[in-house]
Amino acid sequence: MDPIRTPGLPFLKMHGAGNDFVVIDSRRSAGRAVTAELARAVADRHCGVGFDQLAEIRDDPHADYQLVFWNSDGTEAGACGNASRCVAALMMEALGRDEVRFATRRGLLRAVRAEGQVWVNMGAPQLGWAEVPLAHATDTDRLPLEGAPAAVGMGNPHAVFFVDDAEAVPLTTRGPQVEHDPLFPQRTNVEFANLTGPDRLRMRVWERGTGVTLACGSGACATAVAAHRRGLTGRRVTLDLDGGTLVVDWREDGVWMTGPVARVFDGVLSPAWLAP
């Protein structure tokens, strides 16, 4: 996390189970904060860097740091589990600690190093219709949509479908249809999952504001919660996604999630590229 002593804006490229991120430390960028315009430009996989989400590190008076998450379309995301783990791994190394606390739109979250991996507590699931949020009161365990998905809030909304075969779902068709359904006033992330063994699920995801991604940490948490509430699994669930495997453990103090973390490369956005 040492600043790169080159003119421009330093960044890191990371991924967790194929869910890829650009990380920008705004604490060291001469006051330059990420904007929607900058996020969209960096997200361009041809003319920028490319990412599923951008994680911006900011100072916070009540935590080790603050995280702001940006989707590739320039909208803010309320939560991002895999990016939270990736940045937590960086910050633990920088601070020489095995635990960090960080502020998000979701509230104050905690990450720890345990079992040889970085675990993040994504907080308690939001299970009431107004918390998700939905447009009107309805049973969040079985929404009045084709396929009767469950709705779970994890700081961002999720619609979780349990299907016979997640591989067979036309994700690029069904995903945006559900994302923009009027039942979801803030749009929604969409997950499709099927049981493959005791406490094990195959899951695929469409993320609002981004599209198909290889993994989604908050989506894995929402899917594990919904699966347990449906009686399909216990509270500790292994989820196999397109980009790798995540483990979710719904405990009394919140929904914990872990999986692989990779720091791919460090780079600098050039002053010429950043210029209007």
Side-chain angles (χ1 to χ4, degrees):
M1 294 293 286
D2 290 336
I4 302 170
R5 300 191 182 282
T6 304
L9 180 60
F11 70 92
L12 301 178
K13 185 68 182 287
M14 304 190 75
H15 81 84
N19 195 187
D20 69 326
F21 313 103
V22 163
V23 181
I24 292 178
D25 191 346
S26 289
R27 301 172 305 167
R28 295 175 175 155
S29 59
R32 181 192 286 117
V34 176
T35 63
E37 181 181 14
L38 178 61
R40 286 192 297 269
V42 177
D44 191 312
R45 294 189 184 272
H46 299 286
C47 301
V49 180
F51 61 74
D52 290 333
Q53 276 83 31
L54 186 153
E56 181 187 9
I57 306 173
R58 297 180 182 175
D59 285 313
D60 190 274
H62 306 296
D64 294 313
Y65 55 94
Q66 180 187 13
L67 279 183
V68 178
F69 306 109
W70 299 84
N71 294 316
S72 59
D73 67 355
T75 58
E76 284 193 43
C80 185
N82 283 322
S84 295
R85 288 191 304 104
C86 287
V87 174
L90 292 172
M91 297 300 288
M92 286 179 193
E93 181 180 356
L95 296 171
R97 303 203 326 240
D98 289 328
E99 178 177 342
V100 290
R101 295 177 183 272
F102 55 97
T104 70
R105 278 175 48 186
R106 176 97 213 260
L108 190 64
L109 301 182
R110 174 173 165 244
V112 301
R113 192 180 301 280
E115 302 177 27
Q117 292 184 294
V118 173
W119 289 77
V120 61
N121 184 347
M122 296 293 289
Q126 299 158 308
L127 301 172
W129 71 269
E131 295 177 301
V132 173
L134 301 176
H136 56 77
T138 190
D139 180 4
T140 57
D141 283 333
R142 292 185 180 274
L143 298 179
L145 299 175
E146 181 183 355
V152 179
M154 289 302 310
N156 51 5
H158 294 268
V160 182
F161 291 79
F162 293 102
V163 296
D164 293 332
D165 183 5
E167 302 271 359
V169 174
L171 204 54
T172 56
T173 302
R174 287 291 289 138
Q177 287 175 347
V178 179
E179 176 190 356
H180 295 279
D181 189 280
L183 185 59
F184 303 99
Q186 297 178 9
R187 298 182 293 152
T188 188
N189 299 278
V190 190
E191 290 81 30
F192 297 90
N194 63 273
L195 196 66
T196 57
D199 297 329
R200 194 167 197 122
L201 296 166
R202 173 71 173 102
M203 177 189 137
R204 299 177 68 212
V205 60
W206 173 275
E207 294 196 52
R208 66 171 181 173
T210 296
V212 177
T213 59
L214 298 182
C216 176
S218 62
C221 293
T223 300
V225 167
H228 178 69
R229 286 171 61 85
R230 288 269 177 106
L232 299 175
T233 67
R235 296 178 75 95
R236 182 170 175 134
V237 183
T238 300
L239 299 102
D240 297 308
L241 295 95
D242 290 342
T245 299
L246 302 176
V247 177
V248 175
D249 193 357
W250 185 9
R251 306 174 192 170
E252 291 301 317
D253 63 343
V255 183
W256 289 82
M257 187 268 296
T258 192
V261 169
R263 179 170 176 168
V264 183
F265 63 85
D266 299 16
V268 179
L269 300 171
S270 72
W273 187 86
L274 289 165

